[in-house]
Amino acid sequence: MKAAIHQPHYLPWLGYMDKMAKADKFIILDEVQLTDRSPMVRNKFWGFNGKEEMLSLSIQKKGYREKMAKDIKLFEIRQVQDRHRKYFEYNYKRAAFYEEIMGQLQPIFEKPYENLIDIEMDTVLMIKRCLGIQTQIVYQSELSYDRQSRKSDLMQALSSAVGADIYISGNGARKYMDEESFAREGIRVAYQKFSYPVYSQFGRKEFVPNLSSLDMLFHLGIEEAGKVFWDNVEKGKECI
């Protein structure tokens, strides 16, 4: 059984969803601290003006460094929801599948959120549904493991807690991954192989990669985006 582990993200990019699709169980790190200026609270889009823009959530700053991700509160969420909705209206109105994808997003812009993790996970689950990913979501806080574990040891402990025999890691973790400790627990470490798929983007002279998964969904629609996504997932499966 293959497990992958990640923090909750807001409107995650395709690499995040690719890792999820390659796993049988995807563990959400909801007991870790928030990483500043990370995809936990923001993600990248390419505006109609030809400039990169980060759509970011605001959080209540007081004491947030001492809190677990699942306990962090949002700040002025109604204003943020309205600002992000207007951003999509302005920048993606002429994308071929604007109406279809805004229909999926609209409930997220209307829901009265209080906790950061709730809006993060609603965006993750919405994109998961649109791309047809069947992977089981498991929350770190639901598992029994040594809560003093850190870095590689934490990944190993969580993988063991869900009964995994393969752990799918991001390439950025190679520098601290203790593969021998995984092996002692009967777990093989595999590193995600992902290259960003190229697709048609409205009004852009050159393809812009590494954006939120929503960009592909707005341009291709749920059906075609799913085909492109899964073709790309298959290309990277030999690493597992």
Side-chain angles (χ1 to χ4, degrees):
M1 191 274 289
K2 301 180 292 293
I5 302 170
H6 225 298
Q7 303 100 326
H9 277 193
Y10 179 61
L11 299 172
W13 79 303
L14 284 173
Y16 185 98
M17 306 311 297
D18 176 87
K19 185 191 283 189
M20 181 188 294
K22 290 184 170 101
D24 300 302
K25 292 186 179 181
F26 192 79
I27 302 171
I28 297 293
L29 293 170
D30 61 344
E31 293 188 331
V32 297
Q33 291 178 314
L34 173 66
T35 303
D36 288 329
R37 301 174 64 82
S38 81
M40 293 177 74
V41 293
R42 65 181 192 169
N43 239 300
K44 185 169 71 171
F45 293 84
W46 196 262
F48 192 68
N49 59 3
K51 294 181 180 179
E52 175 185 312
E53 185 160 352
M54 303 296 291
L55 295 192
S56 302
L57 298 170
S58 298
I59 62 165
Q60 295 182 19
K61 293 288 189 179
K62 185 176 180 180
Y64 80 98
R65 292 182 184 275
E66 288 74 49
K67 293 180 179 179
M68 295 179 182
K70 64 185 179 67
D71 298 323
I72 293 175
K73 301 292 183 182
L74 292 160
F75 179 69
E76 295 185 341
I77 185 58
R78 293 303 300 163
Q79 292 92 319
V80 172
Q81 287 169 304
D82 189 53
R83 186 166 64 248
H84 290 187
R85 178 182 55 78
K86 289 178 179 177
Y87 177 87
F88 292 123
E89 288 177 354
Y90 178 77
N91 289 282
Y92 285 92
K93 188 74 174 179
R94 284 183 278 182
F97 294 89
Y98 170 79
E99 296 294 342
E100 179 183 52
I101 304 308
M102 278 303 289
Q104 301 291 322
L105 273 173
Q106 195 59 40
I108 293 172
F109 295 140
E110 296 174 350
K111 191 172 175 179
Y113 295 101
E114 294 184 3
N115 291 338
L116 171 64
I117 195 170
D118 291 334
I119 190 170
E120 289 173 319
M121 288 307 301
D122 275 0
T123 68
V124 169
L125 295 173
M126 182 272 289
I127 295 171
K128 177 178 183 284
R129 182 176 65 250
C130 287
L131 295 177
I133 300 171
Q134 300 299 314
T135 302
Q136 180 184 353
I137 299 293
V138 181
Y139 290 87
Q140 175 186 9
S141 57
E142 299 171 341
L143 299 175
S144 176
Y145 68 98
D146 180 3
R147 281 173 163 74
Q148 300 305 310
S149 302
R150 296 292 182 270
K151 293 190 175 181
S152 181
D153 289 341
L154 176 59
M155 302 301 105
Q156 181 266 301
L158 293 174
S159 299
S160 295
V162 296
D165 51 25
I166 298 174
Y167 168 61
I168 304 172
S169 171
N171 280 289
R174 285 181 185 267
K175 57 189 175 183
Y176 71 78
M177 194 61 57
D178 183 355
E179 295 185 27
E180 291 185 2
S181 71
F182 278 83
R184 286 193 293 270
E185 298 299 322
I187 303 171
R188 177 170 65 85
V189 177
Y191 293 93
Q192 180 188 19
K193 182 179 180 182
F194 172 75
S195 58
Y196 207 93
V198 176
Y199 52 89
S200 177
Q201 294 171 319
F202 173 79
R204 299 174 193 169
K205 293 181 180 179
E206 296 181 0
F207 178 74
V208 181
N210 302 325
L211 304 177
S212 165
S213 303
L214 284 183
D215 188 80
M216 185 170 76
L217 285 164
F218 273 122
H219 285 99
L220 300 186
I222 291 172
E223 183 176 356
E224 183 62 24
K227 292 177 182 177
V228 171
F229 175 77
W230 283 104
D231 284 348
N232 202 59
V233 168
E234 289 298 320
K235 291 177 183 177
K237 273 193 171 179
E238 69 268 21
C239 69
I240 301 174

